[in-house]
PDB file of all heavy atoms in Angstrom:
ATOM      1  N   GLN U   1      12.436   4.664  -2.352  1.00  0.00           N
ATOM      2  CA  GLN U   1      13.023   5.975  -1.967  1.00  0.00           C
ATOM      3  C   GLN U   1      13.466   6.046  -0.413  1.00  0.00           C
ATOM      4  O   GLN U   1      14.499   6.516  -0.259  1.00  0.00           O
ATOM      5  CB  GLN U   1      12.147   7.136  -2.241  1.00  0.00           C
ATOM      6  CG  GLN U   1      11.972   7.480  -3.820  1.00  0.00           C
ATOM      7  CD  GLN U   1      13.248   7.998  -4.413  1.00  0.00           C
ATOM      8  OE1 GLN U   1      13.848   8.927  -4.021  1.00  0.00           O
ATOM      9  NE2 GLN U   1      13.609   7.366  -5.493  1.00  0.00           N
ATOM     10  N   PHE U   2      12.630   5.419   0.449  1.00  0.00           N
ATOM     11  CA  PHE U   2      12.880   5.662   1.895  1.00  0.00           C
ATOM     12  C   PHE U   2      13.211   4.337   2.557  1.00  0.00           C
ATOM     13  O   PHE U   2      13.250   4.402   3.743  1.00  0.00           O
ATOM     14  CB  PHE U   2      11.617   6.357   2.472  1.00  0.00           C
ATOM     15  CG  PHE U   2      11.366   7.717   1.693  1.00  0.00           C
ATOM     16  CD1 PHE U   2      10.101   7.815   1.006  1.00  0.00           C
ATOM     17  CD2 PHE U   2      12.098   8.724   1.699  1.00  0.00           C
ATOM     18  CE1 PHE U   2       9.860   8.877   0.318  1.00  0.00           C
ATOM     19  CE2 PHE U   2      11.850   9.934   0.943  1.00  0.00           C
ATOM     20  CZ  PHE U   2      10.704  10.031   0.214  1.00  0.00           C
ATOM     21  N   GLY U   3      13.333   3.387   1.769  1.00  0.00           N
ATOM     22  CA  GLY U   3      13.754   2.050   2.446  1.00  0.00           C
ATOM     23  C   GLY U   3      12.832   1.361   3.377  1.00  0.00           C
ATOM     24  O   GLY U   3      13.121   0.855   4.445  1.00  0.00           O
ATOM     25  N   LEU U   4      11.518   1.516   2.945  1.00  0.00           N
ATOM     26  CA  LEU U   4      10.378   1.043   3.872  1.00  0.00           C
ATOM     27  C   LEU U   4      10.124  -0.413   3.390  1.00  0.00           C
ATOM     28  O   LEU U   4       9.572  -0.665   2.341  1.00  0.00           O
ATOM     29  CB  LEU U   4       9.137   1.923   3.758  1.00  0.00           C
ATOM     30  CG  LEU U   4       9.341   3.439   3.810  1.00  0.00           C
ATOM     31  CD1 LEU U   4       8.175   4.268   3.691  1.00  0.00           C
ATOM     32  CD2 LEU U   4      10.152   3.786   5.116  1.00  0.00           C
ATOM     33  N   LYS U   5      10.341  -1.423   4.202  1.00  0.00           N
ATOM     34  CA  LYS U   5      10.378  -2.833   3.809  1.00  0.00           C
ATOM     35  C   LYS U   5       9.178  -3.639   4.305  1.00  0.00           C
ATOM     36  O   LYS U   5       8.988  -4.899   4.122  1.00  0.00           O
ATOM     37  CB  LYS U   5      11.461  -3.527   4.335  1.00  0.00           C
ATOM     38  CG  LYS U   5      12.884  -2.954   3.647  1.00  0.00           C
ATOM     39  CD  LYS U   5      14.148  -3.774   4.063  1.00  0.00           C
ATOM     40  CE  LYS U   5      15.303  -3.219   3.351  1.00  0.00           C
ATOM     41  NZ  LYS U   5      16.618  -3.956   3.687  1.00  0.00           N
ATOM     42  N   GLY U   6       8.208  -2.866   5.080  1.00  0.00           N
ATOM     43  CA  GLY U   6       6.948  -3.568   5.589  1.00  0.00           C
ATOM     44  C   GLY U   6       5.899  -3.701   4.552  1.00  0.00           C
ATOM     45  O   GLY U   6       6.159  -3.557   3.251  1.00  0.00           O
ATOM     46  N   LYS U   7       4.722  -4.071   4.974  1.00  0.00           N
ATOM     47  CA  LYS U   7       3.602  -4.340   4.057  1.00  0.00           C
ATOM     48  C   LYS U   7       3.499  -3.225   3.060  1.00  0.00           C
ATOM     49  O   LYS U   7       3.488  -2.005   3.382  1.00  0.00           O
ATOM     50  CB  LYS U   7       2.379  -4.418   4.974  1.00  0.00           C
ATOM     51  CG  LYS U   7       1.077  -4.754   4.291  1.00  0.00           C
ATOM     52  CD  LYS U   7      -0.026  -4.799   5.356  1.00  0.00           C
ATOM     53  CE  LYS U   7      -1.388  -5.222   4.587  1.00  0.00           C
ATOM     54  NZ  LYS U   7      -2.446  -5.454   5.572  1.00  0.00           N
ATOM     55  N   ASN U   8       3.259  -3.508   1.772  1.00  0.00           N
ATOM     56  CA  ASN U   8       3.245  -2.474   0.740  1.00  0.00           C
ATOM     57  C   ASN U   8       2.100  -2.798  -0.154  1.00  0.00           C
ATOM     58  O   ASN U   8       2.053  -3.689  -0.897  1.00  0.00           O
ATOM     59  CB  ASN U   8       4.581  -2.489   0.096  1.00  0.00           C
ATOM     60  CG  ASN U   8       4.590  -1.242  -0.784  1.00  0.00           C
ATOM     61  OD1 ASN U   8       3.932  -0.966  -1.771  1.00  0.00           O
ATOM     62  ND2 ASN U   8       5.777  -0.416  -0.566  1.00  0.00           N
ATOM     63  N   ILE U   9       0.969  -1.942   0.059  1.00  0.00           N
ATOM     64  CA  ILE U   9      -0.253  -2.150  -0.754  1.00  0.00           C
ATOM     65  C   ILE U   9      -0.755  -0.947  -1.519  1.00  0.00           C
ATOM     66  O   ILE U   9      -0.448   0.154  -1.161  1.00  0.00           O
ATOM     67  CB  ILE U   9      -1.443  -2.802   0.264  1.00  0.00           C
ATOM     68  CG1 ILE U   9      -1.613  -1.874   1.370  1.00  0.00           C
ATOM     69  CG2 ILE U   9      -1.021  -4.192   0.530  1.00  0.00           C
ATOM     70  CD1 ILE U   9      -2.772  -2.314   2.073  1.00  0.00           C
ATOM     71  N   ASN U  10      -1.645  -1.241  -2.464  1.00  0.00           N
ATOM     72  CA  ASN U  10      -2.148  -0.192  -3.287  1.00  0.00           C
ATOM     73  C   ASN U  10      -3.624  -0.597  -3.533  1.00  0.00           C
ATOM     74  O   ASN U  10      -3.977  -1.389  -4.500  1.00  0.00           O
ATOM     75  CB  ASN U  10      -1.356  -0.071  -4.633  1.00  0.00           C
ATOM     76  CG  ASN U  10      -2.154   0.533  -5.673  1.00  0.00           C
ATOM     77  OD1 ASN U  10      -2.753   1.627  -5.561  1.00  0.00           O
ATOM     78  ND2 ASN U  10      -2.116  -0.032  -6.895  1.00  0.00           N
ATOM     79  N   VAL U  11      -4.579  -0.028  -2.821  1.00  0.00           N
ATOM     80  CA  VAL U  11      -5.925  -0.274  -3.030  1.00  0.00           C
ATOM     81  C   VAL U  11      -6.412   0.693  -3.978  1.00  0.00           C
ATOM     82  O   VAL U  11      -6.254   1.882  -3.815  1.00  0.00           O
ATOM     83  CB  VAL U  11      -6.793  -0.085  -1.773  1.00  0.00           C
ATOM     84  CG1 VAL U  11      -8.250  -0.521  -1.865  1.00  0.00           C
ATOM     85  CG2 VAL U  11      -6.141  -0.954  -0.452  1.00  0.00           C
ATOM     86  N   VAL U  12      -6.996   0.121  -5.101  1.00  0.00           N
ATOM     87  CA  VAL U  12      -7.520   1.028  -6.116  1.00  0.00           C
ATOM     88  C   VAL U  12      -9.073   1.024  -6.236  1.00  0.00           C
ATOM     89  O   VAL U  12      -9.663  -0.025  -6.554  1.00  0.00           O
ATOM     90  CB  VAL U  12      -6.918   0.555  -7.523  1.00  0.00           C
ATOM     91  CG1 VAL U  12      -7.496   1.535  -8.573  1.00  0.00           C
ATOM     92  CG2 VAL U  12      -5.458   0.562  -7.401  1.00  0.00           C
ATOM     93  N   THR U  13      -9.695   2.027  -5.774  1.00  0.00           N
ATOM     94  CA  THR U  13     -11.173   2.153  -5.791  1.00  0.00           C
ATOM     95  C   THR U  13     -11.543   3.527  -6.410  1.00  0.00           C
ATOM     96  O   THR U  13     -12.477   4.243  -5.630  1.00  0.00           O
ATOM     97  CB  THR U  13     -11.746   1.908  -4.422  1.00  0.00           C
ATOM     98  OG1 THR U  13     -10.992   2.804  -3.511  1.00  0.00           O
ATOM     99  CG2 THR U  13     -11.554   0.425  -3.964  1.00  0.00           C
ATOM    100  N   ALA U  14     -11.007   3.901  -7.504  1.00  0.00           N
ATOM    101  CA  ALA U  14     -11.357   5.200  -8.100  1.00  0.00           C
ATOM    102  C   ALA U  14     -11.215   6.277  -7.165  1.00  0.00           C
ATOM    103  O   ALA U  14     -10.171   6.494  -6.381  1.00  0.00           O
ATOM    104  CB  ALA U  14     -12.655   5.105  -8.755  1.00  0.00           C
ATOM    105  N   CYS U  15     -12.376   7.074  -6.955  1.00  0.00           N
ATOM    106  CA  CYS U  15     -12.295   8.243  -6.062  1.00  0.00           C
ATOM    107  C   CYS U  15     -12.327   7.967  -4.594  1.00  0.00           C
ATOM    108  O   CYS U  15     -12.261   8.864  -3.775  1.00  0.00           O
ATOM    109  CB  CYS U  15     -13.429   9.144  -6.423  1.00  0.00           C
ATOM    110  SG  CYS U  15     -13.444   9.401  -8.247  1.00  0.00           S
ATOM    111  N   ALA U  16     -12.471   6.744  -4.161  1.00  0.00           N
ATOM    112  CA  ALA U  16     -12.545   6.274  -2.798  1.00  0.00           C
ATOM    113  C   ALA U  16     -11.072   5.707  -2.368  1.00  0.00           C
ATOM    114  O   ALA U  16     -10.810   5.338  -1.237  1.00  0.00           O
ATOM    115  CB  ALA U  16     -13.439   5.263  -2.541  1.00  0.00           C
ATOM    116  N   THR U  17     -10.124   5.786  -3.375  1.00  0.00           N
ATOM    117  CA  THR U  17      -8.917   5.170  -3.002  1.00  0.00           C
ATOM    118  C   THR U  17      -8.046   5.739  -1.860  1.00  0.00           C
ATOM    119  O   THR U  17      -7.615   4.889  -1.140  1.00  0.00           O
ATOM    120  CB  THR U  17      -7.972   5.429  -4.363  1.00  0.00           C
ATOM    121  OG1 THR U  17      -8.584   4.705  -5.538  1.00  0.00           O
ATOM    122  CG2 THR U  17      -6.464   5.000  -4.268  1.00  0.00           C
ATOM    123  N   GLY U  18      -8.024   6.926  -1.825  1.00  0.00           N
ATOM    124  CA  GLY U  18      -7.249   7.586  -0.671  1.00  0.00           C
ATOM    125  C   GLY U  18      -7.835   7.163   0.811  1.00  0.00           C
ATOM    126  O   GLY U  18      -6.968   6.632   1.553  1.00  0.00           O
ATOM    127  N   ASN U  19      -9.049   7.187   0.910  1.00  0.00           N
ATOM    128  CA  ASN U  19      -9.631   6.734   2.074  1.00  0.00           C
ATOM    129  C   ASN U  19      -9.530   5.221   2.461  1.00  0.00           C
ATOM    130  O   ASN U  19      -9.137   4.826   3.484  1.00  0.00           O
ATOM    131  CB  ASN U  19     -11.201   7.062   2.197  1.00  0.00           C
ATOM    132  CG  ASN U  19     -11.486   8.402   2.821  1.00  0.00           C
ATOM    133  OD1 ASN U  19     -10.468   9.262   3.007  1.00  0.00           O
ATOM    134  ND2 ASN U  19     -12.687   8.796   3.150  1.00  0.00           N
ATOM    135  N   HIS U  20      -9.653   4.455   1.403  1.00  0.00           N
ATOM    136  CA  HIS U  20      -9.437   2.883   1.500  1.00  0.00           C
ATOM    137  C   HIS U  20      -8.017   2.606   1.938  1.00  0.00           C
ATOM    138  O   HIS U  20      -7.761   1.749   2.726  1.00  0.00           O
ATOM    139  CB  HIS U  20      -9.726   2.211   0.217  1.00  0.00           C
ATOM    140  CG  HIS U  20     -11.198   1.837   0.091  1.00  0.00           C
ATOM    141  ND1 HIS U  20     -11.986   2.185  -0.921  1.00  0.00           N
ATOM    142  CD2 HIS U  20     -12.043   1.090   0.899  1.00  0.00           C
ATOM    143  CE1 HIS U  20     -13.224   1.774  -0.814  1.00  0.00           C
ATOM    144  NE2 HIS U  20     -13.312   0.974   0.352  1.00  0.00           N
ATOM    145  N   ASN U  21      -7.045   3.346   1.335  1.00  0.00           N
ATOM    146  CA  ASN U  21      -5.668   3.031   1.789  1.00  0.00           C
ATOM    147  C   ASN U  21      -5.367   3.382   3.064  1.00  0.00           C
ATOM    148  O   ASN U  21      -4.629   2.731   3.850  1.00  0.00           O
ATOM    149  CB  ASN U  21      -4.728   3.655   0.709  1.00  0.00           C
ATOM    150  CG  ASN U  21      -4.621   2.928  -0.566  1.00  0.00           C
ATOM    151  OD1 ASN U  21      -3.800   1.913  -0.638  1.00  0.00           O
ATOM    152  ND2 ASN U  21      -5.368   3.249  -1.662  1.00  0.00           N
ATOM    153  N   ILE U  22      -5.934   4.651   3.582  1.00  0.00           N
ATOM    154  CA  ILE U  22      -5.676   5.011   4.987  1.00  0.00           C
ATOM    155  C   ILE U  22      -6.522   4.114   5.947  1.00  0.00           C
ATOM    156  O   ILE U  22      -5.764   3.632   6.865  1.00  0.00           O
ATOM    157  CB  ILE U  22      -6.152   6.395   5.131  1.00  0.00           C
ATOM    158  CG1 ILE U  22      -5.191   7.377   4.359  1.00  0.00           C
ATOM    159  CG2 ILE U  22      -6.213   6.816   6.691  1.00  0.00           C
ATOM    160  CD1 ILE U  22      -5.642   8.909   4.160  1.00  0.00           C
ATOM    161  N   GLY U  23      -7.627   3.672   5.556  1.00  0.00           N
ATOM    162  CA  GLY U  23      -8.421   2.623   6.349  1.00  0.00           C
ATOM    163  C   GLY U  23      -7.632   1.403   6.440  1.00  0.00           C
ATOM    164  O   GLY U  23      -7.557   0.743   7.471  1.00  0.00           O
ATOM    165  N   GLU U  24      -7.058   0.857   5.350  1.00  0.00           N
ATOM    166  CA  GLU U  24      -6.343  -0.396   5.363  1.00  0.00           C
ATOM    167  C   GLU U  24      -4.951  -0.296   6.061  1.00  0.00           C
ATOM    168  O   GLU U  24      -4.528  -1.227   6.681  1.00  0.00           O
ATOM    169  CB  GLU U  24      -6.113  -0.920   3.970  1.00  0.00           C
ATOM    170  CG  GLU U  24      -7.532  -1.372   3.157  1.00  0.00           C
ATOM    171  CD  GLU U  24      -8.299  -2.426   4.043  1.00  0.00           C
ATOM    172  OE1 GLU U  24      -7.711  -3.334   4.566  1.00  0.00           O
ATOM    173  OE2 GLU U  24      -9.578  -2.287   4.054  1.00  0.00           O
ATOM    174  N   GLY U  25      -4.399   0.895   6.009  1.00  0.00           N
ATOM    175  CA  GLY U  25      -3.212   1.168   6.784  1.00  0.00           C
ATOM    176  C   GLY U  25      -3.441   1.154   8.262  1.00  0.00           C
ATOM    177  O   GLY U  25      -2.712   0.601   9.031  1.00  0.00           O
ATOM    178  N   PHE U  26      -4.500   1.726   8.597  1.00  0.00           N
ATOM    179  CA  PHE U  26      -5.058   1.828   9.986  1.00  0.00           C
ATOM    180  C   PHE U  26      -5.200   0.411  10.580  1.00  0.00           C
ATOM    181  O   PHE U  26      -4.761  -0.007  11.652  1.00  0.00           O
ATOM    182  CB  PHE U  26      -6.338   2.544   9.970  1.00  0.00           C
ATOM    183  CG  PHE U  26      -7.171   2.527  11.258  1.00  0.00           C
ATOM    184  CD1 PHE U  26      -6.764   2.899  12.482  1.00  0.00           C
ATOM    185  CD2 PHE U  26      -8.587   2.269  11.085  1.00  0.00           C
ATOM    186  CE1 PHE U  26      -7.568   2.928  13.578  1.00  0.00           C
ATOM    187  CE2 PHE U  26      -9.437   2.246  12.247  1.00  0.00           C
ATOM    188  CZ  PHE U  26      -8.858   2.496  13.429  1.00  0.00           C
ATOM    189  N   ARG U  27      -5.938  -0.590   9.757  1.00  0.00           N
ATOM    190  CA  ARG U  27      -6.148  -1.876  10.122  1.00  0.00           C
ATOM    191  C   ARG U  27      -4.868  -2.653  10.242  1.00  0.00           C
ATOM    192  O   ARG U  27      -4.652  -3.395  11.235  1.00  0.00           O
ATOM    193  CB  ARG U  27      -7.058  -2.513   9.118  1.00  0.00           C
ATOM    194  CG  ARG U  27      -8.523  -2.130   9.090  1.00  0.00           C
ATOM    195  CD  ARG U  27      -9.311  -2.781  10.263  1.00  0.00           C
ATOM    196  NE  ARG U  27     -10.656  -2.581  10.080  1.00  0.00           N
ATOM    197  CZ  ARG U  27     -11.350  -1.553  10.857  1.00  0.00           C
ATOM    198  NH1 ARG U  27     -10.638  -0.803  11.726  1.00  0.00           N
ATOM    199  NH2 ARG U  27     -12.542  -1.351  10.619  1.00  0.00           N
ATOM    200  N   SER U  28      -3.985  -2.388   9.358  1.00  0.00           N
ATOM    201  CA  SER U  28      -2.673  -3.160   9.425  1.00  0.00           C
ATOM    202  C   SER U  28      -1.873  -2.867  10.744  1.00  0.00           C
ATOM    203  O   SER U  28      -1.246  -3.711  11.287  1.00  0.00           O
ATOM    204  CB  SER U  28      -1.729  -2.607   8.273  1.00  0.00           C
ATOM    205  OG  SER U  28      -2.318  -2.891   7.040  1.00  0.00           O
ATOM    206  N   ILE U  29      -2.012  -1.595  11.249  1.00  0.00           N
ATOM    207  CA  ILE U  29      -1.318  -1.281  12.470  1.00  0.00           C
ATOM    208  C   ILE U  29      -2.169  -1.831  13.758  1.00  0.00           C
ATOM    209  O   ILE U  29      -1.646  -2.445  14.586  1.00  0.00           O
ATOM    210  CB  ILE U  29      -1.230   0.229  12.654  1.00  0.00           C
ATOM    211  CG1 ILE U  29      -0.155   0.666  11.503  1.00  0.00           C
ATOM    212  CG2 ILE U  29      -0.549   0.467  14.062  1.00  0.00           C
ATOM    213  CD1 ILE U  29       0.007   2.151  11.555  1.00  0.00           C
ATOM    214  N   GLN U  30      -3.491  -1.613  13.622  1.00  0.00           N
ATOM    215  CA  GLN U  30      -4.403  -2.119  14.725  1.00  0.00           C
ATOM    216  C   GLN U  30      -4.083  -3.634  15.002  1.00  0.00           C
ATOM    217  O   GLN U  30      -4.152  -4.199  16.123  1.00  0.00           O
ATOM    218  CB  GLN U  30      -5.865  -1.983  14.209  1.00  0.00           C
ATOM    219  CG  GLN U  30      -6.523  -0.776  14.602  1.00  0.00           C
ATOM    220  CD  GLN U  30      -7.976  -0.813  14.337  1.00  0.00           C
ATOM    221  OE1 GLN U  30      -8.500  -1.310  13.383  1.00  0.00           O
ATOM    222  NE2 GLN U  30      -8.842  -0.361  15.307  1.00  0.00           N
ATOM    223  N   TYR U  31      -3.913  -4.427  13.826  1.00  0.00           N
ATOM    224  CA  TYR U  31      -3.840  -5.924  14.089  1.00  0.00           C
ATOM    225  C   TYR U  31      -2.367  -6.349  14.019  1.00  0.00           C
ATOM    226  O   TYR U  31      -2.224  -7.582  13.812  1.00  0.00           O
ATOM    227  CB  TYR U  31      -4.750  -6.553  13.026  1.00  0.00           C
ATOM    228  CG  TYR U  31      -6.266  -6.382  13.415  1.00  0.00           C
ATOM    229  CD1 TYR U  31      -6.992  -5.316  12.716  1.00  0.00           C
ATOM    230  CD2 TYR U  31      -6.856  -6.977  14.504  1.00  0.00           C
ATOM    231  CE1 TYR U  31      -8.291  -5.154  12.997  1.00  0.00           C
ATOM    232  CE2 TYR U  31      -8.119  -6.637  14.774  1.00  0.00           C
ATOM    233  CZ  TYR U  31      -8.774  -5.845  14.057  1.00  0.00           C
ATOM    234  OH  TYR U  31     -10.130  -5.545  14.467  1.00  0.00           O
ATOM    235  N   GLY U  32      -1.442  -5.459  14.232  1.00  0.00           N
ATOM    236  CA  GLY U  32      -0.100  -5.873  14.473  1.00  0.00           C
ATOM    237  C   GLY U  32       0.785  -6.229  13.304  1.00  0.00           C
ATOM    238  O   GLY U  32       1.867  -6.692  13.398  1.00  0.00           O
ATOM    239  N   GLU U  33       0.274  -5.912  12.057  1.00  0.00           N
ATOM    240  CA  GLU U  33       1.095  -6.260  10.914  1.00  0.00           C
ATOM    241  C   GLU U  33       2.226  -5.143  10.670  1.00  0.00           C
ATOM    242  O   GLU U  33       3.140  -5.433  10.004  1.00  0.00           O
ATOM    243  CB  GLU U  33       0.211  -6.356   9.614  1.00  0.00           C
ATOM    244  CG  GLU U  33      -0.747  -7.427   9.683  1.00  0.00           C
ATOM    245  CD  GLU U  33      -1.675  -7.478   8.439  1.00  0.00           C
ATOM    246  OE1 GLU U  33      -2.003  -6.385   7.858  1.00  0.00           O
ATOM    247  OE2 GLU U  33      -2.187  -8.554   8.163  1.00  0.00           O
ATOM    248  N   ALA U  34       2.071  -4.101  11.279  1.00  0.00           N
ATOM    249  CA  ALA U  34       3.138  -2.943  11.050  1.00  0.00           C
ATOM    250  C   ALA U  34       3.027  -1.997  12.331  1.00  0.00           C
ATOM    251  O   ALA U  34       1.999  -2.039  13.163  1.00  0.00           O
ATOM    252  CB  ALA U  34       2.855  -2.163   9.774  1.00  0.00           C
TER     253      ALA U  34
END
């Protein structure tokens, strides 16, 4: 929808899913992947 071509992931951990995805997004920026 928005033309975002960078790293695109979906961490599935039931009710912890939202936090894991924000955490992994945070790491992706911390380490220069996005």
